Amino acid sequence: MRKAFFILVFICASLSVVWAASFEDSENGYKLEYPLGWSASKMSEEVVKGNIFKDKITGVQVRIYDKHNMSLDSYSKWFSSDFIKQMQDRWGGIVKVIKRDNTMMAGYECIITSYDFTRGDGQLRFLKTYLFDHTGNKVYVLQCGTTMDERTVNEPIINSIANSFSFTH
């Protein structure tokens, strides 16, 4: 019993995440926190505004889109369909929706969708999107991914990054 307790304590301590810094994009009006061992950079691309990443295969991209006067729910359904098409066109393979939730996250209305992606090259990926509604007909999207093998380690960290999201204006 005592040995099992120490093993459990060791596992719990190993899973804890040390938060290193905040990433703030004052130009686009949002802020996120990310853990030690991850990096962040502001992007100058037209759609991708920020990139928070662990390595070349695990990360969170911040994107900002116009909702075209759609409700967040309607936009989310359109976005998911378009996202699946873009991923399959780029990488081949099959993307399937695992789960979709309408919720409040970090105090904001948010739609979270998880995807299982078997790429054309056989690589298994876990993808997740968080859509945050913003006034002024904008939606802020956190587009996230990791390998399926690393999902159990990285998904809680990705969730914590998303839960730290806040609008700064």
Side-chain angles (χ1 to χ4, degrees):
M1 179 71 172
R2 189 173 210 195
K3 186 177 180 179
F5 175 76
F6 286 154
I7 290 170
L8 181 62
V9 169
F10 175 76
I11 290 170
C12 291
S14 299
L15 294 176
S16 66
V17 176
V18 178
W19 292 93
S22 292
F23 174 72
E24 185 169 353
D25 181 349
S26 57
E27 179 183 339
N28 291 298
Y30 69 91
K31 180 179 170 182
L32 292 161
E33 295 178 2
Y34 61 94
L36 188 64
W38 288 54
S39 301
S41 62
K42 187 172 178 186
M43 307 294 284
S44 59
E45 292 183 34
E46 199 168 300
V47 174
V48 179
K49 303 301 182 185
N51 191 25
I52 298 173
F53 55 96
K54 176 181 173 183
D55 50 39
K56 292 183 180 184
I57 57 172
T58 302
V60 176
Q61 287 187 338
V62 180
R63 297 164 180 250
I64 303 172
Y65 297 103
D66 189 317
K67 284 190 315 197
H68 305 289
N69 296 314
M70 298 169 81
S71 69
L72 184 62
D73 188 59
S74 295
Y75 183 83
S76 173
K77 290 173 184 167
W78 174 86
F79 177 87
S80 185
S81 176
D82 187 62
F83 177 68
I84 290 169
K85 181 183 179 328
Q86 286 185 31
M87 296 305 288
Q88 291 177 166
D89 286 352
R90 180 172 181 186
W91 300 103
I94 303 293
V95 178
K96 295 179 184 174
V97 173
I98 301 169
K99 187 176 183 184
R100 182 175 184 274
D101 290 315
N102 293 32
T103 189
M104 293 295 288
M105 182 171 234
Y108 306 104
E109 182 180 2
C110 182
I111 297 179
I112 305 167
T113 308
S114 301
Y115 307 85
D116 179 7
F117 183 21
T118 303
R119 289 183 8 173
D121 61 5
Q123 190 178 122
L124 302 176
R125 304 274 297 159
F126 171 72
L127 308 174
K128 198 165 192 176
T129 58
Y130 303 79
L131 280 69
F132 290 94
D133 204 3
H134 190 269
T135 57
N137 207 32
K138 298 289 182 194
V139 61
Y140 285 57
V141 177
L142 305 184
Q143 192 169 299
C144 315
T146 192
T147 64
M148 200 57 81
D149 289 344
E150 294 289 320
R151 177 183 179 186
T152 56
V153 172
N154 291 322
E155 185 179 13
I157 298 168
I158 288 168
N159 286 337
S160 293
I161 292 169
N163 201 41
S164 75
F165 178 86
S166 63
F167 292 113
T168 57
H169 59 73

